[in-house]
Each structure stands twice: as C-alpha cells, then as structure tokens.
Short mmCIF file of all heavy atoms in Angstrom, two decimals:
data_model
loop_
_atom_site.label_atom_id
_atom_site.label_comp_id
_atom_site.label_asym_id
_atom_site.label_seq_id
_atom_site.Cartn_x
_atom_site.Cartn_y
_atom_site.Cartn_z
N GLY A 1 -22.67 -6.87 56.13
CA GLY A 1 -23.07 -5.69 55.37
C GLY A 1 -23.35 -4.46 56.20
O GLY A 1 -24.08 -3.57 55.78
N VAL A 2 -22.74 -4.38 57.40
CA VAL A 2 -22.96 -3.23 58.28
C VAL A 2 -21.69 -2.38 58.32
O VAL A 2 -20.63 -2.84 58.75
CB VAL A 2 -23.33 -3.66 59.71
CG1 VAL A 2 -23.53 -2.44 60.60
CG2 VAL A 2 -24.58 -4.53 59.69
N SER A 3 -21.78 -1.14 57.85
CA SER A 3 -20.66 -0.20 57.90
C SER A 3 -20.77 0.68 59.13
O SER A 3 -21.87 1.08 59.52
CB SER A 3 -20.63 0.68 56.64
OG SER A 3 -20.40 -0.11 55.49
N LEU A 4 -19.62 0.97 59.74
CA LEU A 4 -19.61 1.74 60.98
C LEU A 4 -18.52 2.80 60.91
O LEU A 4 -17.34 2.47 60.85
CB LEU A 4 -19.36 0.81 62.17
CG LEU A 4 -19.37 1.44 63.56
CD1 LEU A 4 -20.79 1.84 63.94
CD2 LEU A 4 -18.80 0.46 64.58
N PRO A 5 -18.87 4.09 60.91
CA PRO A 5 -17.84 5.14 60.96
C PRO A 5 -17.22 5.20 62.35
O PRO A 5 -17.94 5.20 63.35
CB PRO A 5 -18.61 6.42 60.65
CG PRO A 5 -19.95 5.97 60.12
CD PRO A 5 -20.22 4.64 60.75
N ILE A 6 -15.88 5.20 62.43
CA ILE A 6 -15.21 5.34 63.72
C ILE A 6 -14.35 6.60 63.71
O ILE A 6 -13.89 7.05 62.67
CB ILE A 6 -14.35 4.10 64.06
CG1 ILE A 6 -13.18 3.96 63.06
CG2 ILE A 6 -15.19 2.85 64.08
CD1 ILE A 6 -12.17 2.88 63.47
N GLN A 7 -14.16 7.17 64.90
CA GLN A 7 -13.44 8.44 65.05
C GLN A 7 -12.20 8.21 65.89
O GLN A 7 -12.28 7.80 67.05
CB GLN A 7 -14.35 9.47 65.74
CG GLN A 7 -13.71 10.82 65.98
CD GLN A 7 -13.72 11.68 64.72
OE1 GLN A 7 -14.72 11.73 64.02
NE2 GLN A 7 -12.62 12.36 64.46
N LEU A 8 -11.01 8.44 65.30
CA LEU A 8 -9.75 8.35 66.02
C LEU A 8 -9.34 9.75 66.48
O LEU A 8 -10.04 10.72 66.24
CB LEU A 8 -8.66 7.73 65.14
CG LEU A 8 -8.70 6.21 64.98
CD1 LEU A 8 -9.88 5.77 64.14
CD2 LEU A 8 -7.41 5.70 64.36
N LYS A 9 -8.19 9.83 67.12
CA LYS A 9 -7.68 11.13 67.55
C LYS A 9 -7.34 11.99 66.34
O LYS A 9 -7.15 11.51 65.24
CB LYS A 9 -6.45 10.94 68.44
CG LYS A 9 -6.75 10.29 69.78
CD LYS A 9 -5.49 10.17 70.61
CE LYS A 9 -5.79 9.55 71.98
NZ LYS A 9 -4.56 9.40 72.79
N LYS A 10 -7.24 13.28 66.57
CA LYS A 10 -6.89 14.28 65.55
C LYS A 10 -7.90 14.27 64.40
O LYS A 10 -7.54 14.48 63.23
CB LYS A 10 -5.47 14.03 65.02
CG LYS A 10 -4.39 14.17 66.09
CD LYS A 10 -3.02 13.96 65.51
CE LYS A 10 -1.94 14.10 66.59
NZ LYS A 10 -0.58 13.87 66.07
N ASN A 11 -9.16 13.99 64.74
CA ASN A 11 -10.27 14.05 63.79
C ASN A 11 -10.11 13.09 62.61
O ASN A 11 -10.67 13.32 61.54
CB ASN A 11 -10.45 15.48 63.26
CG ASN A 11 -10.87 16.45 64.35
OD1 ASN A 11 -11.67 16.09 65.21
ND2 ASN A 11 -10.32 17.65 64.31
N ARG A 12 -9.33 12.04 62.79
CA ARG A 12 -9.21 11.03 61.74
C ARG A 12 -10.44 10.11 61.80
O ARG A 12 -10.73 9.54 62.84
CB ARG A 12 -7.93 10.21 61.94
CG ARG A 12 -7.68 9.20 60.82
CD ARG A 12 -6.45 8.36 61.12
NE ARG A 12 -6.27 7.33 60.13
CZ ARG A 12 -5.49 6.26 60.30
NH1 ARG A 12 -4.83 6.11 61.44
NH2 ARG A 12 -5.37 5.35 59.34
N GLU A 13 -11.11 9.97 60.68
CA GLU A 13 -12.35 9.19 60.66
C GLU A 13 -12.42 8.35 59.38
O GLU A 13 -12.04 8.80 58.31
CB GLU A 13 -13.57 10.11 60.74
CG GLU A 13 -14.90 9.36 60.78
CD GLU A 13 -16.09 10.30 60.95
OE1 GLU A 13 -15.88 11.43 61.44
OE2 GLU A 13 -17.20 9.89 60.58
N PHE A 14 -12.87 7.11 59.52
CA PHE A 14 -13.13 6.27 58.36
C PHE A 14 -14.12 5.17 58.75
O PHE A 14 -14.40 4.97 59.93
CB PHE A 14 -11.84 5.66 57.80
CG PHE A 14 -11.00 4.92 58.81
CD1 PHE A 14 -11.26 3.61 59.13
CD2 PHE A 14 -9.93 5.56 59.43
CE1 PHE A 14 -10.48 2.93 60.06
CE2 PHE A 14 -9.15 4.90 60.35
CZ PHE A 14 -9.42 3.58 60.67
N GLU A 15 -14.64 4.49 57.73
CA GLU A 15 -15.63 3.45 57.97
C GLU A 15 -14.96 2.08 58.06
O GLU A 15 -14.00 1.79 57.37
CB GLU A 15 -16.67 3.42 56.85
CG GLU A 15 -17.66 4.57 56.92
CD GLU A 15 -18.85 4.37 56.00
OE1 GLU A 15 -18.79 3.48 55.13
OE2 GLU A 15 -19.84 5.11 56.17
N VAL A 16 -15.51 1.24 58.95
CA VAL A 16 -15.08 -0.15 59.08
C VAL A 16 -16.29 -1.05 58.90
O VAL A 16 -17.43 -0.58 58.94
CB VAL A 16 -14.43 -0.41 60.46
CG1 VAL A 16 -13.21 0.48 60.66
CG2 VAL A 16 -15.44 -0.19 61.59
N ASN A 17 -16.03 -2.33 58.69
CA ASN A 17 -17.11 -3.31 58.60
C ASN A 17 -17.33 -3.92 59.98
O ASN A 17 -16.37 -4.39 60.61
CB ASN A 17 -16.78 -4.40 57.59
CG ASN A 17 -16.60 -3.85 56.19
OD1 ASN A 17 -17.43 -3.08 55.71
ND2 ASN A 17 -15.52 -4.24 55.53
N LEU A 18 -18.57 -3.92 60.43
CA LEU A 18 -18.90 -4.49 61.73
C LEU A 18 -19.23 -5.97 61.53
O LEU A 18 -20.22 -6.31 60.88
CB LEU A 18 -20.08 -3.74 62.35
CG LEU A 18 -20.55 -4.18 63.74
CD1 LEU A 18 -19.40 -4.13 64.74
CD2 LEU A 18 -21.71 -3.30 64.19
N CYS A 19 -18.39 -6.86 62.08
CA CYS A 19 -18.54 -8.31 61.87
C CYS A 19 -19.40 -8.96 62.95
O CYS A 19 -20.21 -9.84 62.66
CB CYS A 19 -17.17 -8.98 61.83
SG CYS A 19 -16.06 -8.31 60.59
N ASN A 20 -19.18 -8.57 64.20
CA ASN A 20 -20.07 -9.02 65.28
C ASN A 20 -19.98 -8.03 66.43
O ASN A 20 -19.06 -7.21 66.50
CB ASN A 20 -19.75 -10.46 65.74
CG ASN A 20 -18.41 -10.60 66.43
OD1 ASN A 20 -18.08 -9.83 67.34
ND2 ASN A 20 -17.62 -11.58 66.03
N ILE A 21 -20.96 -8.12 67.33
CA ILE A 21 -21.01 -7.16 68.44
C ILE A 21 -21.62 -7.84 69.65
O ILE A 21 -22.48 -8.73 69.53
CB ILE A 21 -21.81 -5.90 68.06
CG1 ILE A 21 -21.70 -4.82 69.14
CG2 ILE A 21 -23.27 -6.24 67.76
CD1 ILE A 21 -22.23 -3.46 68.73
N SER A 22 -21.16 -7.46 70.83
CA SER A 22 -21.75 -7.87 72.10
C SER A 22 -21.84 -6.63 72.98
O SER A 22 -21.43 -5.54 72.57
CB SER A 22 -20.89 -8.95 72.78
OG SER A 22 -19.73 -8.38 73.33
N ALA A 23 -22.33 -6.81 74.19
CA ALA A 23 -22.42 -5.67 75.10
C ALA A 23 -21.05 -5.26 75.62
O ALA A 23 -20.90 -4.16 76.17
CB ALA A 23 -23.34 -6.00 76.27
N GLY A 24 -20.04 -6.11 75.42
CA GLY A 24 -18.71 -5.80 75.92
C GLY A 24 -17.68 -5.44 74.87
O GLY A 24 -16.61 -4.95 75.19
N GLY A 25 -18.00 -5.67 73.60
CA GLY A 25 -17.02 -5.39 72.56
C GLY A 25 -17.53 -5.78 71.19
O GLY A 25 -18.71 -6.10 71.01
N MET A 26 -16.64 -5.75 70.20
CA MET A 26 -17.05 -6.05 68.83
C MET A 26 -15.84 -6.49 68.02
O MET A 26 -14.69 -6.30 68.41
CB MET A 26 -17.70 -4.83 68.18
CG MET A 26 -16.78 -3.64 68.02
SD MET A 26 -17.65 -2.21 67.31
CE MET A 26 -16.31 -1.00 67.28
N LEU A 27 -16.14 -7.08 66.86
CA LEU A 27 -15.13 -7.46 65.88
C LEU A 27 -15.37 -6.64 64.62
O LEU A 27 -16.48 -6.61 64.10
CB LEU A 27 -15.22 -8.95 65.56
CG LEU A 27 -14.18 -9.50 64.58
CD1 LEU A 27 -12.79 -9.49 65.20
CD2 LEU A 27 -14.56 -10.91 64.14
N ILE A 28 -14.33 -5.95 64.15
CA ILE A 28 -14.45 -5.12 62.96
C ILE A 28 -13.40 -5.54 61.94
O ILE A 28 -12.40 -6.19 62.28
CB ILE A 28 -14.28 -3.61 63.27
CG1 ILE A 28 -12.89 -3.34 63.89
CG2 ILE A 28 -15.39 -3.13 64.18
CD1 ILE A 28 -12.59 -1.86 64.12
N SER A 29 -13.61 -5.18 60.68
CA SER A 29 -12.60 -5.43 59.65
C SER A 29 -12.42 -4.16 58.83
O SER A 29 -13.35 -3.38 58.64
CB SER A 29 -13.01 -6.60 58.75
OG SER A 29 -14.17 -6.28 58.02
N THR A 30 -11.18 -3.96 58.33
CA THR A 30 -10.87 -2.77 57.56
C THR A 30 -9.54 -2.98 56.84
O THR A 30 -8.77 -3.89 57.19
CB THR A 30 -10.77 -1.52 58.47
OG1 THR A 30 -10.40 -0.39 57.68
CG2 THR A 30 -9.75 -1.71 59.57
N GLU A 31 -9.27 -2.15 55.88
CA GLU A 31 -7.98 -2.16 55.19
C GLU A 31 -6.93 -1.36 55.94
O GLU A 31 -5.73 -1.44 55.65
CB GLU A 31 -8.12 -1.60 53.78
CG GLU A 31 -8.56 -0.13 53.77
CD GLU A 31 -8.76 0.42 52.36
OE1 GLU A 31 -8.72 -0.37 51.40
OE2 GLU A 31 -8.96 1.65 52.25
N HIS A 32 -7.35 -0.58 56.91
CA HIS A 32 -6.44 0.29 57.65
C HIS A 32 -5.65 -0.50 58.69
O HIS A 32 -6.18 -1.41 59.33
CB HIS A 32 -7.21 1.41 58.35
CG HIS A 32 -7.90 2.35 57.41
ND1 HIS A 32 -7.25 3.42 56.82
CD2 HIS A 32 -9.17 2.37 56.93
CE1 HIS A 32 -8.10 4.07 56.04
NE2 HIS A 32 -9.26 3.45 56.08
N ILE A 33 -4.38 -0.16 58.86
CA ILE A 33 -3.52 -0.79 59.86
C ILE A 33 -3.61 0.01 61.16
O ILE A 33 -3.30 1.20 61.19
CB ILE A 33 -2.07 -0.86 59.38
CG1 ILE A 33 -1.98 -1.68 58.09
CG2 ILE A 33 -1.16 -1.47 60.45
CD1 ILE A 33 -0.58 -1.71 57.48
N LEU A 34 -4.02 -0.67 62.23
CA LEU A 34 -4.18 -0.02 63.54
C LEU A 34 -3.43 -0.85 64.59
O LEU A 34 -3.44 -2.08 64.54
CB LEU A 34 -5.66 0.07 63.92
CG LEU A 34 -6.55 0.86 62.94
CD1 LEU A 34 -8.02 0.66 63.31
CD2 LEU A 34 -6.20 2.33 62.97
N PRO A 35 -2.78 -0.21 65.56
CA PRO A 35 -2.02 -0.94 66.57
C PRO A 35 -2.91 -1.43 67.71
O PRO A 35 -3.98 -0.87 67.97
CB PRO A 35 -1.03 0.11 67.07
CG PRO A 35 -1.78 1.41 66.93
CD PRO A 35 -2.61 1.25 65.68
N ILE A 36 -2.47 -2.49 68.38
CA ILE A 36 -3.12 -2.92 69.61
C ILE A 36 -2.99 -1.79 70.63
O ILE A 36 -1.95 -1.18 70.78
CB ILE A 36 -2.49 -4.22 70.13
CG1 ILE A 36 -2.90 -5.38 69.23
CG2 ILE A 36 -2.91 -4.49 71.57
CD1 ILE A 36 -2.29 -6.70 69.63
N GLY A 37 -4.08 -1.51 71.31
CA GLY A 37 -4.11 -0.40 72.26
C GLY A 37 -4.70 0.87 71.68
O GLY A 37 -4.98 1.82 72.41
N GLN A 38 -4.88 0.90 70.34
CA GLN A 38 -5.51 2.06 69.70
C GLN A 38 -6.94 2.25 70.22
O GLN A 38 -7.71 1.31 70.30
CB GLN A 38 -5.55 1.86 68.18
CG GLN A 38 -6.35 2.91 67.41
CD GLN A 38 -5.63 4.24 67.35
OE1 GLN A 38 -4.54 4.34 66.81
NE2 GLN A 38 -6.23 5.26 67.92
N THR A 39 -7.27 3.45 70.60
CA THR A 39 -8.63 3.75 71.05
C THR A 39 -9.36 4.58 70.00
O THR A 39 -8.73 5.30 69.22
CB THR A 39 -8.61 4.51 72.39
OG1 THR A 39 -7.87 5.72 72.24
CG2 THR A 39 -7.97 3.66 73.48
N PHE A 40 -10.65 4.47 70.01
CA PHE A 40 -11.48 5.25 69.08
C PHE A 40 -12.89 5.33 69.64
O PHE A 40 -13.23 4.65 70.62
CB PHE A 40 -11.48 4.62 67.68
CG PHE A 40 -12.01 3.21 67.63
CD1 PHE A 40 -13.36 2.95 67.44
CD2 PHE A 40 -11.14 2.13 67.76
CE1 PHE A 40 -13.85 1.66 67.39
CE2 PHE A 40 -11.61 0.83 67.70
CZ PHE A 40 -12.97 0.59 67.51
N SER A 41 -13.71 6.16 69.04
CA SER A 41 -15.10 6.29 69.45
C SER A 41 -16.00 6.14 68.24
O SER A 41 -15.56 6.27 67.10
CB SER A 41 -15.34 7.65 70.13
OG SER A 41 -15.03 8.70 69.23
N PHE A 42 -17.25 5.82 68.49
CA PHE A 42 -18.21 5.69 67.40
C PHE A 42 -19.62 5.88 67.95
O PHE A 42 -19.87 5.77 69.16
CB PHE A 42 -18.09 4.33 66.71
CG PHE A 42 -18.43 3.15 67.57
CD1 PHE A 42 -19.70 2.58 67.55
CD2 PHE A 42 -17.47 2.59 68.41
CE1 PHE A 42 -20.01 1.49 68.34
CE2 PHE A 42 -17.77 1.50 69.21
CZ PHE A 42 -19.05 0.95 69.17
N SER A 43 -20.53 6.19 67.04
CA SER A 43 -21.94 6.34 67.39
C SER A 43 -22.68 5.10 66.90
O SER A 43 -22.61 4.76 65.72
CB SER A 43 -22.53 7.58 66.72
OG SER A 43 -21.85 8.75 67.15
N TYR A 44 -23.35 4.43 67.82
CA TYR A 44 -24.10 3.22 67.47
C TYR A 44 -25.60 3.52 67.52
O TYR A 44 -26.15 3.81 68.58
CB TYR A 44 -23.75 2.08 68.42
CG TYR A 44 -24.28 0.74 67.99
CD1 TYR A 44 -23.70 0.08 66.91
CD2 TYR A 44 -25.37 0.15 68.61
CE1 TYR A 44 -24.17 -1.14 66.49
CE2 TYR A 44 -25.84 -1.07 68.20
CZ TYR A 44 -25.25 -1.71 67.14
OH TYR A 44 -25.72 -2.93 66.72
N GLU A 45 -26.23 3.46 66.37
CA GLU A 45 -27.63 3.85 66.26
C GLU A 45 -28.56 2.69 66.61
O GLU A 45 -28.48 1.61 66.01
CB GLU A 45 -27.92 4.35 64.84
CG GLU A 45 -27.22 5.64 64.49
CD GLU A 45 -27.65 6.21 63.15
OE1 GLU A 45 -28.67 5.73 62.61
OE2 GLU A 45 -26.99 7.14 62.66
#
C-alpha cells in the first residue's frame, strides 16, 4: 500500500507501487512499460 512518485527524463512523472526496499535497491510495480536500463529519480520521505 505504498505509492511512490518517480521522475523520468523530459519531466515524465507517474506513481508506482513500492513492493520492497533495501539500502541498495527496490522492487516496484506499475502498469507502465519501462525498458531495462531505464533510469529515474524519486524522493524518499
């Protein structure tokens, strides 16, 4: 039940579901199709 807004290039932004997280990475789920190697940024409160 944790939603996380992520920011892609060209100001593209949408929310994903945060499934798990560690200090090195995380697992997210979404309906959006993203390629391997895609980078993005987010604010973690």
Side-chain angles (χ1 to χ4, degrees):
V2 179
S3 296
L4 183 71
I6 65 171
Q7 179 80 43
L8 282 70
K9 292 181 179 179
K10 298 182 180 179
N11 295 321
R12 184 184 175 197
E13 182 177 338
F14 53 84
E15 286 192 347
V16 300
N17 298 312
L18 182 55
C19 304
N20 68 49
I21 188 169
S22 74
M26 63 183 179
L27 182 69
I28 60 175
S29 65
T30 177
E31 63 182 8
H32 296 276
I33 299 176
L34 301 170
I36 288 178
Q38 172 73 62
T39 59
F40 60 89
S41 60
F42 65 96
S43 300
Y44 191 73
E45 293 187 13

